[in-house]
Amino acid sequence: MGTPDPELFPLPVWRRLLTAEWRAATIRTAGYRDAAGHHGLREAVARSIGRSRSVRATAADVLVTHGAQQALDLVGRVLIDPGDVVAVEDPGYPPARHLFHSLGARVVSVPVDREGLDVNALPGGARLVYVTPSHQFPLGTPMSLARRAALLDWAGRHDAVIVEDDYDSEFRFSDRPLDPLHSLDRAGRVVYVGTFSKTLLPLLRVGFLIAPASLRPALHAVKRLTDWHGDPVTQAALARFIDSGELPRHVRKATRTYAARHELITEALAGDLAEWLDPVPSTAGLHVCAVLRPDAPADIPAVVTEARRLGVAVEDLASYCHETPRPGIVLGYGAIPTDRVPAGLARLTRSFRAVTKR
Ligand SMILES: Cc1ncc(COP(=O)(O)O)c(C=O)c1O
């Protein structure tokens, strides 16, 4: 779930770029660097997300991080005092919830419906709202335009900051998606967070944030205090990877592969599995979610265990729910070869059958 396919990673290109960066000239200037990260990478990220996500930014706006997780940590350290309220989606991304909790926040769960986060249910005093508008984690639905506008309006009225985690929307299987909250934000309320964990590999540990100007000095100071500047060699290689056009090429190729897997799963959800599951519409990313039909009671934890016994890893949607349990499953397709998807789906169907017969 959520893991990209390591077989798709362009290893020879990456190895060549990395070797090229490990040259004497790099070492000779081996002092500490800017805590905001490698300048070339910041420029490349700004250009690339301008093109792919309509995010308006310059290199000066970009702070390179160790993945999205460190971006959330930095924002939390700057904005959260112990006891402050942080609103997160329910169901949602547990590492974000746990992180904000670890920083002393009072984390409040806000339900998500078909349009995304229920803005009317936001707690009045929230200092920070963490959302995944492009591809809600884990349901997969995009936040509607009306909800995006309402959330920005809410943040303005309550002097809150929105953290927009745009973790996997590079892989999309239909028309151009809605622009990120960041590009609708006229009041400097949104911190945009991106990562290369899905487009490339989580082990690279490279992500970034784009913050409103008012937060930038504090974020820069906290980055320097907690970590300094990450790995400039990897960052320089990544800059070249983006600038040479390898990244969009890789994303296009990977998108074709993931689209085929997504289609196979969507077909099965509309076919054999429709007896038990209703798919949650989703046209991006590395996973799909399906909820249990109200007229088809099945013990989801038992199905997940049975599927695992048969060699298929699916996730129980309940493990992402905090206050509002929803019976359902989440199917990741990043790490399974396309030709094994049909057999996996057949085994999942068998698991449902076995469990509902008991
Ligand atoms: C919602 C969400 N945000 C961010 C990430 C990526 O985090 P990182 O960049 O720290 O690897 C993931 C990966 O699973 C995710 O699901």
PDB file of all heavy atoms in Angstrom, residues 1-3 65-72 92-93 95-96 130 132 135-137 165-168 193-198 201-203 205-207 287, ligand 1:
ATOM      1  N   MET A   1       0.844  -1.192   0.000  1.00  0.00           N
ATOM      2  CA  MET A   1       0.000   0.000   0.000  1.00  0.00           C
ATOM      3  C   MET A   1       0.884   1.249   0.000  1.00  0.00           C
ATOM      4  O   MET A   1       1.694   1.431   0.909  1.00  0.00           O
ATOM      5  CB  MET A   1      -0.888  -0.080   1.258  1.00  0.00           C
ATOM      6  CG  MET A   1      -1.423   1.234   1.756  1.00  0.00           C
ATOM      7  SD  MET A   1      -2.708   1.830   0.686  1.00  0.00           S
ATOM      8  CE  MET A   1      -3.332   3.122   1.741  1.00  0.00           C
ATOM      9  N   GLY A   2       0.759   2.034  -1.069  1.00  0.00           N
ATOM     10  CA  GLY A   2       1.495   3.298  -1.122  1.00  0.00           C
ATOM     11  C   GLY A   2       2.953   3.181  -1.549  1.00  0.00           C
ATOM     12  O   GLY A   2       3.650   4.182  -1.645  1.00  0.00           O
ATOM     13  N   THR A   3       3.401   1.961  -1.822  1.00  0.00           N
ATOM     14  CA  THR A   3       4.805   1.800  -2.209  1.00  0.00           C
ATOM     15  C   THR A   3       4.907   1.796  -3.740  1.00  0.00           C
ATOM     16  O   THR A   3       4.182   1.054  -4.391  1.00  0.00           O
ATOM     17  CB  THR A   3       5.328   0.431  -1.704  1.00  0.00           C
ATOM     18  OG1 THR A   3       4.852   0.236  -0.388  1.00  0.00           O
ATOM     19  CG2 THR A   3       6.833   0.380  -1.731  1.00  0.00           C
ATOM     20  N   THR A  65      13.280  18.819   2.030  1.00  0.00           N
ATOM     21  CA  THR A  65      13.169  18.081   3.300  1.00  0.00           C
ATOM     22  C   THR A  65      13.476  16.597   3.079  1.00  0.00           C
ATOM     23  O   THR A  65      13.576  16.138   1.944  1.00  0.00           O
ATOM     24  CB  THR A  65      11.733  18.180   3.852  1.00  0.00           C
ATOM     25  OG1 THR A  65      10.840  17.600   2.893  1.00  0.00           O
ATOM     26  CG2 THR A  65      11.340  19.620   4.110  1.00  0.00           C
ATOM     27  N   HIS A  66      13.578  15.874   4.195  1.00  0.00           N
ATOM     28  CA  HIS A  66      13.666  14.410   4.117  1.00  0.00           C
ATOM     29  C   HIS A  66      12.239  13.872   4.004  1.00  0.00           C
ATOM     30  O   HIS A  66      11.646  13.446   4.997  1.00  0.00           O
ATOM     31  CB  HIS A  66      14.292  13.832   5.379  1.00  0.00           C
ATOM     32  CG  HIS A  66      15.743  14.108   5.527  1.00  0.00           C
ATOM     33  ND1 HIS A  66      16.704  13.461   4.783  1.00  0.00           N
ATOM     34  CD2 HIS A  66      16.398  14.963   6.324  1.00  0.00           C
ATOM     35  CE1 HIS A  66      17.887  13.913   5.132  1.00  0.00           C
ATOM     36  NE2 HIS A  66      17.733  14.825   6.061  1.00  0.00           N
ATOM     37  N   GLY A  67      11.677  13.952   2.835  1.00  0.00           N
ATOM     38  CA  GLY A  67      10.331  13.423   2.646  1.00  0.00           C
ATOM     39  C   GLY A  67       9.264  14.339   3.224  1.00  0.00           C
ATOM     40  O   GLY A  67       9.559  15.337   3.907  1.00  0.00           O
ATOM     41  N   ALA A  68       8.024  13.975   2.937  1.00  0.00           N
ATOM     42  CA  ALA A  68       6.887  14.742   3.452  1.00  0.00           C
ATOM     43  C   ALA A  68       6.887  14.746   4.978  1.00  0.00           C
ATOM     44  O   ALA A  68       6.511  15.727   5.618  1.00  0.00           O
ATOM     45  CB  ALA A  68       5.584  14.139   2.928  1.00  0.00           C
ATOM     46  N   GLN A  69       7.331  13.640   5.563  1.00  0.00           N
ATOM     47  CA  GLN A  69       7.251  13.521   7.017  1.00  0.00           C
ATOM     48  C   GLN A  69       8.062  14.623   7.701  1.00  0.00           C
ATOM     49  O   GLN A  69       7.614  15.215   8.678  1.00  0.00           O
ATOM     50  CB  GLN A  69       7.734  12.128   7.450  1.00  0.00           C
ATOM     51  CG  GLN A  69       7.401  11.763   8.881  1.00  0.00           C
ATOM     52  CD  GLN A  69       5.903  11.565   9.130  1.00  0.00           C
ATOM     53  OE1 GLN A  69       5.090  11.522   8.191  1.00  0.00           O
ATOM     54  NE2 GLN A  69       5.515  11.480  10.374  1.00  0.00           N
ATOM     55  N   GLN A  70       9.244  14.907   7.177  1.00  0.00           N
ATOM     56  CA  GLN A  70      10.016  15.979   7.810  1.00  0.00           C
ATOM     57  C   GLN A  70       9.372  17.342   7.549  1.00  0.00           C
ATOM     58  O   GLN A  70       9.434  18.226   8.398  1.00  0.00           O
ATOM     59  CB  GLN A  70      11.467  16.005   7.321  1.00  0.00           C
ATOM     60  CG  GLN A  70      12.279  16.980   8.170  1.00  0.00           C
ATOM     61  CD  GLN A  70      13.686  17.199   7.687  1.00  0.00           C
ATOM     62  OE1 GLN A  70      13.953  17.239   6.487  1.00  0.00           O
ATOM     63  NE2 GLN A  70      14.599  17.360   8.627  1.00  0.00           N
ATOM     64  N   ALA A  71       8.747  17.502   6.395  1.00  0.00           N
ATOM     65  CA  ALA A  71       8.052  18.762   6.130  1.00  0.00           C
ATOM     66  C   ALA A  71       6.962  18.983   7.182  1.00  0.00           C
ATOM     67  O   ALA A  71       6.818  20.075   7.739  1.00  0.00           O
ATOM     68  CB  ALA A  71       7.450  18.744   4.726  1.00  0.00           C
ATOM     69  N   LEU A  72       6.205  17.927   7.492  1.00  0.00           N
ATOM     70  CA  LEU A  72       5.144  18.048   8.505  1.00  0.00           C
ATOM     71  C   LEU A  72       5.760  18.365   9.871  1.00  0.00           C
ATOM     72  O   LEU A  72       5.235  19.159  10.642  1.00  0.00           O
ATOM     73  CB  LEU A  72       4.322  16.757   8.599  1.00  0.00           C
ATOM     74  CG  LEU A  72       3.648  16.267   7.311  1.00  0.00           C
ATOM     75  CD1 LEU A  72       2.793  15.037   7.596  1.00  0.00           C
ATOM     76  CD2 LEU A  72       2.803  17.360   6.686  1.00  0.00           C
ATOM     77  N   GLY A  92      -7.655   8.987   7.784  1.00  0.00           N
ATOM     78  CA  GLY A  92      -6.526   9.827   7.415  1.00  0.00           C
ATOM     79  C   GLY A  92      -5.208   9.086   7.486  1.00  0.00           C
ATOM     80  O   GLY A  92      -5.178   7.855   7.619  1.00  0.00           O
ATOM     81  N   TYR A  93      -4.151   9.874   7.421  1.00  0.00           N
ATOM     82  CA  TYR A  93      -2.788   9.338   7.318  1.00  0.00           C
ATOM     83  C   TYR A  93      -2.203   9.245   8.731  1.00  0.00           C
ATOM     84  O   TYR A  93      -1.850  10.278   9.323  1.00  0.00           O
ATOM     85  CB  TYR A  93      -1.988  10.284   6.426  1.00  0.00           C
ATOM     86  CG  TYR A  93      -0.564   9.882   6.154  1.00  0.00           C
ATOM     87  CD1 TYR A  93      -0.248   8.613   5.671  1.00  0.00           C
ATOM     88  CD2 TYR A  93       0.476  10.788   6.344  1.00  0.00           C
ATOM     89  CE1 TYR A  93       1.068   8.256   5.398  1.00  0.00           C
ATOM     90  CE2 TYR A  93       1.795  10.444   6.063  1.00  0.00           C
ATOM     91  CZ  TYR A  93       2.079   9.166   5.601  1.00  0.00           C
ATOM     92  OH  TYR A  93       3.381   8.822   5.328  1.00  0.00           O
ATOM     93  N   PRO A  95       0.706   8.504  10.147  1.00  0.00           N
ATOM     94  CA  PRO A  95       1.966   9.154  10.546  1.00  0.00           C
ATOM     95  C   PRO A  95       1.833  10.665  10.787  1.00  0.00           C
ATOM     96  O   PRO A  95       2.562  11.225  11.601  1.00  0.00           O
ATOM     97  CB  PRO A  95       2.891   8.870   9.354  1.00  0.00           C
ATOM     98  CG  PRO A  95       2.358   7.603   8.762  1.00  0.00           C
ATOM     99  CD  PRO A  95       0.870   7.721   8.906  1.00  0.00           C
ATOM    100  N   ALA A  96       0.904  11.314  10.091  1.00  0.00           N
ATOM    101  CA  ALA A  96       0.715  12.758  10.317  1.00  0.00           C
ATOM    102  C   ALA A  96       0.065  12.976  11.690  1.00  0.00           C
ATOM    103  O   ALA A  96       0.527  13.786  12.489  1.00  0.00           O
ATOM    104  CB  ALA A  96      -0.152  13.355   9.206  1.00  0.00           C
ATOM    105  N   TYR A 130      -4.570  19.659   8.520  1.00  0.00           N
ATOM    106  CA  TYR A 130      -3.775  18.816   7.614  1.00  0.00           C
ATOM    107  C   TYR A 130      -4.719  18.093   6.659  1.00  0.00           C
ATOM    108  O   TYR A 130      -5.628  17.379   7.101  1.00  0.00           O
ATOM    109  CB  TYR A 130      -2.956  17.803   8.428  1.00  0.00           C
ATOM    110  CG  TYR A 130      -2.365  16.703   7.580  1.00  0.00           C
ATOM    111  CD1 TYR A 130      -1.214  16.923   6.827  1.00  0.00           C
ATOM    112  CD2 TYR A 130      -2.960  15.448   7.514  1.00  0.00           C
ATOM    113  CE1 TYR A 130      -0.680  15.924   6.029  1.00  0.00           C
ATOM    114  CE2 TYR A 130      -2.435  14.433   6.720  1.00  0.00           C
ATOM    115  CZ  TYR A 130      -1.302  14.674   5.978  1.00  0.00           C
ATOM    116  OH  TYR A 130      -0.787  13.696   5.192  1.00  0.00           O
ATOM    117  N   THR A 132      -5.310  16.142   2.476  1.00  0.00           N
ATOM    118  CA  THR A 132      -4.765  15.519   1.261  1.00  0.00           C
ATOM    119  C   THR A 132      -5.777  15.735   0.119  1.00  0.00           C
ATOM    120  O   THR A 132      -6.476  14.806  -0.288  1.00  0.00           O
ATOM    121  CB  THR A 132      -4.537  14.011   1.501  1.00  0.00           C
ATOM    122  OG1 THR A 132      -5.729  13.441   2.084  1.00  0.00           O
ATOM    123  CG2 THR A 132      -3.391  13.756   2.441  1.00  0.00           C
ATOM    124  N   HIS A 135      -5.874  13.595  -3.555  1.00  0.00           N
ATOM    125  CA  HIS A 135      -6.181  12.156  -3.561  1.00  0.00           C
ATOM    126  C   HIS A 135      -6.286  11.776  -2.091  1.00  0.00           C
ATOM    127  O   HIS A 135      -5.303  11.365  -1.477  1.00  0.00           O
ATOM    128  CB  HIS A 135      -5.033  11.418  -4.262  1.00  0.00           C
ATOM    129  CG  HIS A 135      -5.276   9.971  -4.496  1.00  0.00           C
ATOM    130  ND1 HIS A 135      -4.403   8.991  -4.070  1.00  0.00           N
ATOM    131  CD2 HIS A 135      -6.292   9.320  -5.107  1.00  0.00           C
ATOM    132  CE1 HIS A 135      -4.862   7.804  -4.425  1.00  0.00           C
ATOM    133  NE2 HIS A 135      -6.009   7.975  -5.052  1.00  0.00           N
ATOM    134  N   GLN A 136      -7.486  11.961  -1.539  1.00  0.00           N
ATOM    135  CA  GLN A 136      -7.629  11.826  -0.090  1.00  0.00           C
ATOM    136  C   GLN A 136      -7.038  10.510   0.391  1.00  0.00           C
ATOM    137  O   GLN A 136      -7.331   9.447  -0.178  1.00  0.00           O
ATOM    138  CB  GLN A 136      -9.114  11.936   0.308  1.00  0.00           C
ATOM    139  CG  GLN A 136      -9.338  12.362   1.754  1.00  0.00           C
ATOM    140  CD  GLN A 136      -9.227  11.228   2.766  1.00  0.00           C
ATOM    141  OE1 GLN A 136      -9.491  10.077   2.431  1.00  0.00           O
ATOM    142  NE2 GLN A 136      -8.818  11.537   3.983  1.00  0.00           N
ATOM    143  N   PHE A 137      -6.217  10.607   1.432  1.00  0.00           N
ATOM    144  CA  PHE A 137      -5.624   9.393   1.976  1.00  0.00           C
ATOM    145  C   PHE A 137      -6.464   8.907   3.141  1.00  0.00           C
ATOM    146  O   PHE A 137      -6.645   9.628   4.105  1.00  0.00           O
ATOM    147  CB  PHE A 137      -4.195   9.646   2.465  1.00  0.00           C
ATOM    148  CG  PHE A 137      -3.538   8.364   2.892  1.00  0.00           C
ATOM    149  CD1 PHE A 137      -2.753   7.636   2.012  1.00  0.00           C
ATOM    150  CD2 PHE A 137      -3.753   7.851   4.168  1.00  0.00           C
ATOM    151  CE1 PHE A 137      -2.194   6.431   2.396  1.00  0.00           C
ATOM    152  CE2 PHE A 137      -3.192   6.639   4.548  1.00  0.00           C
ATOM    153  CZ  PHE A 137      -2.413   5.932   3.675  1.00  0.00           C
ATOM    154  N   ASP A 165      -0.963  18.143   1.738  1.00  0.00           N
ATOM    155  CA  ASP A 165      -0.036  17.044   1.432  1.00  0.00           C
ATOM    156  C   ASP A 165      -0.417  16.463   0.070  1.00  0.00           C
ATOM    157  O   ASP A 165      -1.425  15.768  -0.070  1.00  0.00           O
ATOM    158  CB  ASP A 165      -0.145  15.989   2.554  1.00  0.00           C
ATOM    159  CG  ASP A 165       0.830  14.829   2.362  1.00  0.00           C
ATOM    160  OD1 ASP A 165       1.517  14.785   1.327  1.00  0.00           O
ATOM    161  OD2 ASP A 165       0.879  13.961   3.265  1.00  0.00           O
ATOM    162  N   ASP A 166       0.407  16.776  -0.946  1.00  0.00           N
ATOM    163  CA  ASP A 166       0.107  16.361  -2.325  1.00  0.00           C
ATOM    164  C   ASP A 166       1.035  15.187  -2.662  1.00  0.00           C
ATOM    165  O   ASP A 166       1.929  15.299  -3.472  1.00  0.00           O
ATOM    166  CB  ASP A 166       0.355  17.544  -3.263  1.00  0.00           C
ATOM    167  CG  ASP A 166      -0.379  17.403  -4.581  1.00  0.00           C
ATOM    168  OD1 ASP A 166      -1.159  16.449  -4.729  1.00  0.00           O
ATOM    169  OD2 ASP A 166      -0.168  18.253  -5.461  1.00  0.00           O
ATOM    170  N   TYR A 167       0.805  14.060  -2.010  1.00  0.00           N
ATOM    171  CA  TYR A 167       1.811  13.002  -1.928  1.00  0.00           C
ATOM    172  C   TYR A 167       1.902  12.098  -3.154  1.00  0.00           C
ATOM    173  O   TYR A 167       2.956  11.513  -3.398  1.00  0.00           O
ATOM    174  CB  TYR A 167       1.565  12.143  -0.682  1.00  0.00           C
ATOM    175  CG  TYR A 167       0.230  11.445  -0.719  1.00  0.00           C
ATOM    176  CD1 TYR A 167       0.133  10.100  -0.996  1.00  0.00           C
ATOM    177  CD2 TYR A 167      -0.938  12.158  -0.518  1.00  0.00           C
ATOM    178  CE1 TYR A 167      -1.093   9.465  -1.077  1.00  0.00           C
ATOM    179  CE2 TYR A 167      -2.172  11.543  -0.597  1.00  0.00           C
ATOM    180  CZ  TYR A 167      -2.229  10.196  -0.879  1.00  0.00           C
ATOM    181  OH  TYR A 167      -3.443   9.597  -0.970  1.00  0.00           O
ATOM    182  N   ASP A 168       0.806  11.933  -3.926  1.00  0.00           N
ATOM    183  CA  ASP A 168       0.918  10.970  -5.037  1.00  0.00           C
ATOM    184  C   ASP A 168       0.118  11.332  -6.284  1.00  0.00           C
ATOM    185  O   ASP A 168      -0.147  10.476  -7.116  1.00  0.00           O
ATOM    186  CB  ASP A 168       0.544   9.550  -4.575  1.00  0.00           C
ATOM    187  CG  ASP A 168      -0.949   9.368  -4.354  1.00  0.00           C
ATOM    188  OD1 ASP A 168      -1.689  10.371  -4.432  1.00  0.00           O
ATOM    189  OD2 ASP A 168      -1.373   8.226  -4.119  1.00  0.00           O
ATOM    190  N   VAL A 193       3.039  20.596   0.509  1.00  0.00           N
ATOM    191  CA  VAL A 193       4.060  19.584   0.793  1.00  0.00           C
ATOM    192  C   VAL A 193       4.089  18.569  -0.350  1.00  0.00           C
ATOM    193  O   VAL A 193       3.042  18.050  -0.757  1.00  0.00           O
ATOM    194  CB  VAL A 193       3.747  18.868   2.135  1.00  0.00           C
ATOM    195  CG1 VAL A 193       4.692  17.691   2.354  1.00  0.00           C
ATOM    196  CG2 VAL A 193       3.851  19.850   3.304  1.00  0.00           C
ATOM    197  N   GLY A 194       5.267  18.308  -0.878  1.00  0.00           N
ATOM    198  CA  GLY A 194       5.421  17.308  -1.936  1.00  0.00           C
ATOM    199  C   GLY A 194       6.504  16.307  -1.545  1.00  0.00           C
ATOM    200  O   GLY A 194       7.277  16.538  -0.599  1.00  0.00           O
ATOM    201  N   THR A 195       6.557  15.206  -2.258  1.00  0.00           N
ATOM    202  CA  THR A 195       7.539  14.166  -1.934  1.00  0.00           C
ATOM    203  C   THR A 195       7.970  13.429  -3.200  1.00  0.00           C
ATOM    204  O   THR A 195       7.202  13.361  -4.174  1.00  0.00           O
ATOM    205  CB  THR A 195       6.947  13.151  -0.927  1.00  0.00           C
ATOM    206  OG1 THR A 195       7.926  12.158  -0.644  1.00  0.00           O
ATOM    207  CG2 THR A 195       5.687  12.456  -1.456  1.00  0.00           C
ATOM    208  N   PHE A 196       9.165  12.873  -3.175  1.00  0.00           N
ATOM    209  CA  PHE A 196       9.616  12.000  -4.259  1.00  0.00           C
ATOM    210  C   PHE A 196       9.514  10.525  -3.847  1.00  0.00           C
ATOM    211  O   PHE A 196      10.022   9.653  -4.543  1.00  0.00           O
ATOM    212  CB  PHE A 196      11.053  12.359  -4.668  1.00  0.00           C
ATOM    213  CG  PHE A 196      11.123  13.704  -5.327  1.00  0.00           C
ATOM    214  CD1 PHE A 196      11.410  14.841  -4.584  1.00  0.00           C
ATOM    215  CD2 PHE A 196      10.843  13.845  -6.677  1.00  0.00           C
ATOM    216  CE1 PHE A 196      11.433  16.100  -5.177  1.00  0.00           C
ATOM    217  CE2 PHE A 196      10.862  15.093  -7.283  1.00  0.00           C
ATOM    218  CZ  PHE A 196      11.157  16.220  -6.527  1.00  0.00           C
ATOM    219  N   SER A 197       8.843  10.277  -2.719  1.00  0.00           N
ATOM    220  CA  SER A 197       8.716   8.897  -2.237  1.00  0.00           C
ATOM    221  C   SER A 197       7.852   8.046  -3.152  1.00  0.00           C
ATOM    222  O   SER A 197       7.993   6.824  -3.193  1.00  0.00           O
ATOM    223  CB  SER A 197       8.102   8.878  -0.834  1.00  0.00           C
ATOM    224  OG  SER A 197       9.034   9.345   0.098  1.00  0.00           O
ATOM    225  N   LYS A 198       6.907   8.673  -3.869  1.00  0.00           N
ATOM    226  CA  LYS A 198       6.017   7.908  -4.753  1.00  0.00           C
ATOM    227  C   LYS A 198       6.518   7.963  -6.193  1.00  0.00           C
ATOM    228  O   LYS A 198       6.489   6.964  -6.900  1.00  0.00           O
ATOM    229  CB  LYS A 198       4.591   8.466  -4.710  1.00  0.00           C
ATOM    230  CG  LYS A 198       4.059   8.689  -3.315  1.00  0.00           C
ATOM    231  CD  LYS A 198       3.785   7.398  -2.621  1.00  0.00           C
ATOM    232  CE  LYS A 198       3.417   7.649  -1.176  1.00  0.00           C
ATOM    233  NZ  LYS A 198       3.100   6.475  -0.438  1.00  0.00           N
ATOM    234  N   LEU A 201      11.394   6.806  -5.062  1.00  0.00           N
ATOM    235  CA  LEU A 201      11.460   5.760  -4.032  1.00  0.00           C
ATOM    236  C   LEU A 201      11.416   6.397  -2.648  1.00  0.00           C
ATOM    237  O   LEU A 201      12.052   7.441  -2.442  1.00  0.00           O
ATOM    238  CB  LEU A 201      12.781   4.993  -4.141  1.00  0.00           C
ATOM    239  CG  LEU A 201      12.989   4.015  -5.297  1.00  0.00           C
ATOM    240  CD1 LEU A 201      14.401   3.467  -5.237  1.00  0.00           C
ATOM    241  CD2 LEU A 201      11.970   2.875  -5.247  1.00  0.00           C
ATOM    242  N   PRO A 202      10.771   5.747  -1.682  1.00  0.00           N
ATOM    243  CA  PRO A 202      10.785   6.315  -0.320  1.00  0.00           C
ATOM    244  C   PRO A 202      12.196   6.345   0.270  1.00  0.00           C
ATOM    245  O   PRO A 202      12.494   7.189   1.092  1.00  0.00           O
ATOM    246  CB  PRO A 202       9.896   5.374   0.493  1.00  0.00           C
ATOM    247  CG  PRO A 202       9.258   4.440  -0.462  1.00  0.00           C
ATOM    248  CD  PRO A 202       9.938   4.543  -1.780  1.00  0.00           C
ATOM    249  N   LEU A 203      13.060   5.435  -0.171  1.00  0.00           N
ATOM    250  CA  LEU A 203      14.375   5.381   0.473  1.00  0.00           C
ATOM    251  C   LEU A 203      15.263   6.567   0.112  1.00  0.00           C
ATOM    252  O   LEU A 203      16.275   6.812   0.762  1.00  0.00           O
ATOM    253  CB  LEU A 203      15.083   4.038   0.217  1.00  0.00           C
ATOM    254  CG  LEU A 203      15.484   3.585  -1.180  1.00  0.00           C
ATOM    255  CD1 LEU A 203      16.741   4.301  -1.653  1.00  0.00           C
ATOM    256  CD2 LEU A 203      15.726   2.096  -1.154  1.00  0.00           C
ATOM    257  N   ARG A 205      14.393   9.554   0.566  1.00  0.00           N
ATOM    258  CA  ARG A 205      14.067  10.536   1.593  1.00  0.00           C
ATOM    259  C   ARG A 205      14.237  11.963   1.072  1.00  0.00           C
ATOM    260  O   ARG A 205      14.998  12.758   1.632  1.00  0.00           O
ATOM    261  CB  ARG A 205      14.881  10.340   2.885  1.00  0.00           C
ATOM    262  CG  ARG A 205      14.800   8.994   3.547  1.00  0.00           C
ATOM    263  CD  ARG A 205      13.387   8.449   3.692  1.00  0.00           C
ATOM    264  NE  ARG A 205      12.481   9.264   4.472  1.00  0.00           N
ATOM    265  CZ  ARG A 205      11.188   9.441   4.132  1.00  0.00           C
ATOM    266  NH1 ARG A 205      10.673   8.879   3.052  1.00  0.00           N
ATOM    267  NH2 ARG A 205      10.412  10.164   4.880  1.00  0.00           N
ATOM    268  N   VAL A 206      13.558  12.274   0.010  1.00  0.00           N
ATOM    269  CA  VAL A 206      13.541  13.660  -0.467  1.00  0.00           C
ATOM    270  C   VAL A 206      12.103  14.107  -0.689  1.00  0.00           C
ATOM    271  O   VAL A 206      11.325  13.425  -1.360  1.00  0.00           O
ATOM    272  CB  VAL A 206      14.337  13.862  -1.784  1.00  0.00           C
ATOM    273  CG1 VAL A 206      14.419  15.366  -2.107  1.00  0.00           C
ATOM    274  CG2 VAL A 206      15.742  13.301  -1.682  1.00  0.00           C
ATOM    275  N   GLY A 207      11.794  15.224  -0.071  1.00  0.00           N
ATOM    276  CA  GLY A 207      10.507  15.880  -0.272  1.00  0.00           C
ATOM    277  C   GLY A 207      10.757  17.373  -0.201  1.00  0.00           C
ATOM    278  O   GLY A 207      11.910  17.818  -0.203  1.00  0.00           O
ATOM    279  N   HIS A 287      -3.195   3.626  -4.932  1.00  0.00           N
ATOM    280  CA  HIS A 287      -4.116   2.728  -4.227  1.00  0.00           C
ATOM    281  C   HIS A 287      -5.562   3.097  -4.540  1.00  0.00           C
ATOM    282  O   HIS A 287      -5.836   4.223  -4.965  1.00  0.00           O
ATOM    283  CB  HIS A 287      -3.879   2.784  -2.703  1.00  0.00           C
ATOM    284  CG  HIS A 287      -4.281   4.089  -2.079  1.00  0.00           C
ATOM    285  ND1 HIS A 287      -3.406   5.126  -1.892  1.00  0.00           N
ATOM    286  CD2 HIS A 287      -5.476   4.513  -1.603  1.00  0.00           C
ATOM    287  CE1 HIS A 287      -4.035   6.134  -1.329  1.00  0.00           C
ATOM    288  NE2 HIS A 287      -5.296   5.796  -1.143  1.00  0.00           N
TER     289      HIS A 287
HETATM  290  C1  LIG B   1      -0.595  10.728   2.835  1.00  0.00           C
HETATM  291  C2  LIG B   1       0.864  10.526   2.645  1.00  0.00           C
HETATM  292  N1  LIG B   1       1.685  11.561   2.767  1.00  0.00           N
HETATM  293  C3  LIG B   1       3.019  11.431   2.573  1.00  0.00           C
HETATM  294  C4  LIG B   1       3.570  10.208   2.265  1.00  0.00           C
HETATM  295  C5  LIG B   1       5.052  10.103   1.977  1.00  0.00           C
HETATM  296  O1  LIG B   1       5.787  10.415   3.050  1.00  0.00           O
HETATM  297  P1  LIG B   1       7.361  10.578   2.894  1.00  0.00           P
HETATM  298  O2  LIG B   1       7.608  11.626   1.851  1.00  0.00           O
HETATM  299  O3  LIG B   1       7.791  11.028   4.254  1.00  0.00           O
HETATM  300  O4  LIG B   1       7.949   9.270   2.510  1.00  0.00           O
HETATM  301  C6  LIG B   1       2.759   9.093   2.170  1.00  0.00           C
HETATM  302  C7  LIG B   1       3.340   7.756   1.917  1.00  0.00           C
HETATM  303  O5  LIG B   1       2.764   6.731   2.146  1.00  0.00           O
HETATM  304  C8  LIG B   1       1.371   9.264   2.347  1.00  0.00           C
HETATM  305  O6  LIG B   1       0.550   8.212   2.212  1.00  0.00           O
END
